[in-house]
Amino acid sequence: MTAQFQTLAALLVVAVAVIGLVWRARIRRRNPGCGGDCGCPTDELKAKLRR
């Protein structure tokens, strides 16, 4: 492999990683919350508990 090919391949890998991180950050910003199975009660359950 040439040095030029390795440089381009490394830049491509970094670009893909940055795009992936930005994409995940934008998704989380649109949909805030715990984002996983943390055991938080659902909105329906919270409404029942408030009554």
Side-chain angles (χ1 to χ4, degrees), residues 6-48:
Q6 288 179 350
T7 301
L8 290 175
L11 288 174
L12 180 65
V13 169
V14 170
V16 169
V18 168
I19 289 170
L21 290 172
V22 168
W23 184 350
R24 286 187 66 192
R26 289 189 62 134
I27 288 173
R28 286 190 183 265
R29 182 171 289 199
R30 275 191 253 150
N31 212 3
C34 62
D37 187 23
C38 65
C40 298
T42 62
D43 289 337
E44 293 174 5
L45 183 59
K46 288 178 185 176
K48 287 180 183 177

